[in-house]
Amino acid sequence: MALIEAQGLEKRYPGTDVKAVAGIGFQVERGEAFGFLGPNGAGKSSTMRMLACVSRPSGGTLRILDRDPVSHGRELRARLGVVPQDDALDLQLTVRENLIVYGLYFGLSLTHMRAKSAELLEFAQLAEKAGERVEHLSGGMRRRLTIARSLVNDPDILLLDEPTTGLDPQARHILWDRLFRLKSAGVTLILTTHYMDEAEQLCDRLVIMDKGLIADEGTPRELIERHVTREVLELRFPPGEQEAAGEKLGGDVEVLPDRLLCYADDGDAVLGRVTELGLHPLTALVRRATLEDVFLRLTGRSLTD
Amino acid sequence: MSRLPAAGGAHLVVLRNVWVHKGGTPWTMALFSVYEPILYLLAMGVGVGALVGRVPGVDVPYAAFIAPALLATAMMNSALEETTQTVYGKLAFDRYYHSLLVTPVTIRGMVAGELLWAVLRALVTGVGFLVVIVAFGLARSPLVILAVPAGLLTAFAFGAAGLAAAAYARGWHSFQYVQLVMLPMFLFATTFYPVTVYTGWVRVLVEALPLYHAIELSRGLALGEVGPGLLLNAAYLLAFGGVMLAVAQARWTTLMAR
Ligand SMILES: Nc1ncnc2c1ncn2[C@@H]1O[C@H](COP(=O)(O)OP(=O)(O)OP(=O)(O)O)[C@@H](O)[C@H]1O
Ligand SMILES: [Mg+2]
C-alpha cells in the first residue's frame, strides 16, 4: 500500500479563480524519495501544504497513511515531519529550546526531548550553537535546524519544501548529506525543488510540475531517456546570429535567447558538423542531458526563468 | 510514547510563553506593569485626592476610591498587551502560529493558549498592584483580595477581544484603533469618579462599556460593598469575553486556513 495516494487533487484559494493545483495524481511508496520539480508558482508549496494536512484540498482525493487528511489531520500531523519553505523558527528561543519546545507540541515529554534534542543537534551539526538565539544563525544553519526540528517525532514521512533554496553550494552539500542519511535510515522523503541537480541527486522518482499540473513522472534517468537525447551540445553565438545558425544546423535544435541546444547521442559529432558548415560559435560545450533539458522539452521554458 | 496533547495543546502555548519569559522573573514583570498605575495613583490619588478629600456618596478617601479601578485597568492592559501587539508580531512577522499549524496543536488550542497566558500575565500584574494598594494603606476591606480574581475575569474579557483584534489587524497601524477605543474608555468608564456624575443617555452609554463593569466589580469588592449587582457585572464580563472568544476563534480559523 502506498503511503500517499492522490487522484485529481486540486487546490483553489478562496477569492481566486486560478487553480494553484489543477488536478494531479501520484503515489509515494514507503522508503522512497519523491520529488516535485517545477518553476516558481507551479503549485509545489500548495501541494505540500495539502500533504502536511494544513490546507484543505478543493477537489480530488488524497489519502495519507491510509487516512483522510481533513478528518484525521491532527492524528496525521503527529506522524509527519514538515520543513516549510520559510523556516518559521521560534526567534525568541535558542537553538536547543526550539527543538525541545517543538517536541512538546507533539506531546513528547520534557525528559524525552532533552535527550532527543542533543541527538538532533548532533545530526544537524549544530551542537556548538545549542545555546545561541536563532537570529544569530546563518541561512544554512537555520535550514538544518528546521530539518532537525521536523524530526522530533521520528516522522513516517518527511516533507521538505525547497530544502536548499538560497543556500551556498557548500551548505547545500551538507544538507544533501543529511537527507541521504535519513533516506538510508528508511525515512520517506517528499521534497520540492527547482534545482534539477538536487532532484537528480536526491529523488528516486519525481514529477515535473508546471502551472498546477503534472507534465510527466518517472525516475530522473527515465525522464531524460524519454524526452531528450543522451548528450547536449550548447553553442553560443554573437547576439543576432543565433536564429540563423540554428536553421543552418538543422536537426534537433532548441533556440534559446542566450544559446542553442543541440540534442544528440553523440555531441562531438554534431560539433564536427558545426565546424564543417563554417559556423563559428563563441563557445561550444558538450554535456550530458539533465532534467532541466527535460523540463525545457516539456514546457518550452527553462526552469529558472 | 507520544500521545496527542490535550486541549488542542493550549497549555503548551502557555508553556512556551513562560519559557520565553523565563529571563524575567514574575516580579520584574509585575514591576513594569504596576509602574504606570502607580503613577496614576500618585498623581490622581494623592495629588487630586488632596483637593477632593473624600468621595461623596461613597465616603472613602479619593485614592482608595480609584485604586481598585486602576487595578482592573492594569490587569486589562496586561492582557491586552499580550494579545494584541505581541500576538500580532508572532502572527505576521515570526509566523509562529503557522509553524504550529503543522504540529498536533490545533487553532483552537493556539487561541485558548494565548488567552490563558494573557490571563496569567494579568494575574502577575494584579498581585503586584494589590501589594501596592496594601502598602499605600488603601485597603478598606479584606475583600480587596477578591479584586484580583475579579480582574482575571476582566483579563479574560479583554484578552479575548485582543485576540480577535490581532486577527483582524492589517498592520501595526491597526492597533491605533484599539488605542482610539481604549483611552477614552479608561478615562470615562468611571475610573476617576462615580457613575453618578453622568445622567441620561451618557450614563447608559458608559454603563454599556465592559470596563465599567470591570471597575464596578473591582471597586465593589475592594471597598467591601458586596451586593447582587456584582454578579451582574461578572456575568456581563463573562458574556462579553465569551462572545469575543467565539469571534476570535472563528476569525483565527479562517485566517490560518489560507
Ligand atoms: N495563500 C494563498 N492564497 C492565494 N493564492 C496563493 C496562496 N498560496 C499560493 N497561491 C498561488 O498559487 C499558485 C501556486 O503557488 P505555490 O506557492 O504553490 O507555488 P510554488 O510552486 O511553491 O512556487 P515557488 O517555487 O515560488 O515556491 C501561485 O499562483 C500563487 O500565487
Ligand atoms: Mg513554494
Side-chain angles (χ1 to χ4, degrees), chain A residues 11 13-14 49 52-56 74-75 77-78 80 82 84 86-93 97 100-102 104-108 110 112 114 149 152-154, chain B residues 1-9 11-17 19-22 86 90 93-96 98-107 254 256-258:
Chain A
K11 180 70 195 182
Y13 290 100
R49 282 199 298 271
C53 310
V54 298
S55 165
R56 188 185 278 261
R74 195 166 179 232
E75 188 187 311
R77 287 199 297 274
L80 301 177
V82 178
D86 58 343
D87 293 313
L89 291 161
D90 198 326
L91 297 178
Q92 290 171 10
L93 296 175
E97 288 168 349
I100 294 179
V101 172
Y102 198 76
L104 300 183
Y105 297 142
F106 282 82
L108 298 163
L110 195 58
H112 174 79
R114 286 230 165 84
R149 186 181 71 169
V152 290
N153 57 335
D154 296 307
Chain B
M1 32 154 244
S2 100
R3 284 176 46 237
L4 288 181
H11 60 294
L12 300 169
V13 175
V14 175
L15 191 67
R16 179 265 175 202
N17 288 347
W19 200 309
V20 167
H21 282 79
K22 74 180 190 307
T86 309
K90 287 199 283 186
F93 297 95
D94 300 352
R95 292 180 64 78
Y96 166 68
H98 292 89
S99 73
L100 283 188
L101 273 186
V102 299
T103 72
V105 175
T106 62
I107 297 173
T254 38
M256 300 306 287
R258 290 242 172 104

Side-chain angles (χ1 to χ4, degrees), chain B residues 25-46:
Chain B
T25 64
W27 307 120
T28 56
M29 254 197 262
L31 221 51
F32 280 112
S33 313
V34 299
Y35 177 70
E36 194 184 299
I38 287 180
L39 292 186
Y40 277 109
L41 196 59
L42 289 174
M44 308 299 264
V46 180

